[in-house]
Amino acid sequence: LKIFCGNSNRKLAQEIADYLGISIGEARVKCFQDGELNIGIDESVRGADIFVVQPTCAPANDSIMELLIMIDALKRASASRITAVVPYYGYARQERKSRGREPITAKLMANLITKAGADRLVSMDLHAPAIQGFFDIPVDNLPCVPILAEYIKEKDLENICVVSPDIGGVARARELASRIGATLAIVDKRRPEPNVSEIMHVIGELRDKTAILIDDIIDTAGTITQAAAVLKEKGAKGVYACCSHPVLSGPAIERLEGSVIEEIVITNTIPLAAEEKCGKITVLSVA
Ligand code: R5P
């Protein structure tokens, strides 16, 4: 068994390797002068069972190309099995045509990963579980909820209500609620245009509750911070938030810092940039 990684989350790859007590395989992942990738595997992988750890997070297009080229190099070097470990699957939110003449980019990614030579995909909390069906190779879609639930249990919070910030996340919120013995509420969110969210209603009782919002992704943090403000208005005595994938683009950190949310618990499927470190954020490892 050998682990390789590109540049998108070397720290996570190292944590996984440490956990397994092995070192990361020798490979160069660099760029030529013109920006084309210069990738090479610097040790024998003939007959080996290979795991390439490479979430396709920002810069997404570079991360994707690194993954594809690395798989191609490993295949051509006679690896016996290649598992693409993509804890955050970029482009997952483009998994269907919501209007005419749009691409289904999540399916295109599946085609590219398979065609490059992957034999299996391991991902975490795919934005839409149906993305598993875009692949004709086995897909493991691992949940982050058990890791988040363990952390929340240790905090000994009382009278908890787990809240899904939209209808699509209800199953995840229900799973967390059942693991920590909490009630459930749902926010009715609309998205008039990409990266803009509007909150319509909250279904469930929040008065005097400790609310824990759970989402798969925090991107611009519009959804989670607006939902948190509404939960406060509905009488929640404290609001926490957690998510699997901290995309954290644009105004996210400013919004989270200025929000009523007391603590934001995220995982390391996507690494935090130095400027994204904020006192309210706790990072849990999925390694
Ligand atoms: C959308 O369906 C996802 O589950 C997240 O709610 C969304 O990606 C969060 O985006 P933002 O943080 O930009 O509101």
Side-chain angles (χ1 to χ4, degrees), residues 121-237:
L121 178 86
V122 174
S123 190
M124 299 196 76
D125 284 333
L126 284 166
H127 176 64
I131 290 172
Q132 290 167 91
F134 293 179
F135 287 83
D136 288 328
I137 54 174
V139 175
D140 299 295
N141 182 23
L142 309 177
C144 291
V145 163
I147 298 167
L148 299 168
E150 279 313 302
Y151 176 81
I152 292 164
K153 270 197 225 158
E154 281 170 16
K155 291 189 75 74
D156 256 342
L157 299 169
E158 281 177 358
N159 206 9
I160 304 176
C161 179
V162 173
V163 185
S164 174
D166 55 29
I167 306 294
V170 173
R172 183 178 304 107
R174 192 184 294 125
E175 174 64 20
L176 178 61
S178 90
R179 280 178 182 261
I180 62 174
T183 57
L184 181 68
I186 301 162
V187 172
D188 177 19
K189 173 185 95 173
R190 307 280 154 86
R191 224 184 239 303
E193 55 186 279
N195 289 136
V196 176
S197 52
E198 271 173 17
I199 295 201
M200 313 303 284
H201 307 102
V202 179
I203 306 159
E205 184 50 54
L206 269 305
R207 185 143 308 277
D208 295 329
K209 297 268 190 183
T210 301
I212 300 186
L213 281 155
I214 178 165
D215 208 344
D216 61 332
I217 295 170
I218 298 179
D219 184 350
T220 63
T223 301
I224 211 95
T225 53
Q226 281 183 42
V230 172
L231 300 181
K232 268 281 192 190
E233 279 167 26
K234 297 277 174 199
K237 61 174 193 267

Side-chain angles (χ1 to χ4, degrees), residues 9-218:
N9 199 342
R10 283 192 173 269
K11 193 161 174 282
L12 174 59
Q14 188 60 57
E15 282 183 36
I16 295 171
D18 291 347
Y19 185 83
L20 294 170
I22 59 177
S23 41
I24 294 179
E26 292 294 325
R28 75 173 178 276
V29 188
K30 296 193 171 148
C31 273
F32 291 108
Q33 200 66 43
D34 65 355
E36 287 184 1
L37 288 167
N38 171 6
I39 291 180
I41 307 298
D42 293 331
E43 65 180 63
S44 171
V45 292
R46 186 174 297 276
D49 189 6
I50 304 287
F51 291 77
V52 183
V53 179
Q54 175 82 342
T56 49
C57 50
N61 301 336
D62 290 347
S63 302
I64 288 159
M65 280 310 289
E66 282 180 10
L67 174 67
L68 298 176
I69 296 173
M70 194 162 247
I71 292 173
D72 184 72
L74 290 160
K75 193 84 189 165
R76 291 174 193 281
S78 305
S80 76
R81 184 177 76 148
I82 301 170
T83 299
V85 182
V86 185
Y88 173 70
Y89 186 95
Y91 286 108
R93 286 173 286 177
Q94 296 179 41
E95 89 290 15
R96 69 196 143 94
K97 287 174 72 166
S98 48
R99 59 178 73 97
R101 299 183 297 280
E102 278 190 342
I104 303 181
T105 316
K107 167 64 177 153
L108 175 63
M109 290 304 119
N111 290 349
L112 292 172
I113 293 168
T114 310
K115 190 74 187 160
D119 298 294
R120 185 178 199 99
L121 178 86
V122 174
S123 190
M124 299 196 76
D125 284 333
L126 284 166
H127 176 64
I131 290 172
Q132 290 167 91
F134 293 179
F135 287 83
D136 288 328
I137 54 174
V139 175
D140 299 295
N141 182 23
L142 309 177
C144 291
V145 163
I147 298 167
L148 299 168
E150 279 313 302
Y151 176 81
I152 292 164
K153 270 197 225 158
E154 281 170 16
K155 291 189 75 74
D156 256 342
L157 299 169
E158 281 177 358
N159 206 9
I160 304 176
C161 179
V162 173
V163 185
S164 174
D166 55 29
I167 306 294
V170 173
R172 183 178 304 107
R174 192 184 294 125
E175 174 64 20
L176 178 61
S178 90
R179 280 178 182 261
I180 62 174
T183 57
L184 181 68
I186 301 162
V187 172
D188 177 19
K189 173 185 95 173
R190 307 280 154 86
R191 224 184 239 303
E193 55 186 279
N195 289 136
V196 176
S197 52
E198 271 173 17
I199 295 201
M200 313 303 284
H201 307 102
V202 179
I203 306 159
E205 184 50 54
L206 269 305
R207 185 143 308 277
D208 295 329
K209 297 268 190 183
T210 301
I212 300 186
L213 281 155
I214 178 165
D215 208 344
D216 61 332
I217 295 170
I218 298 179

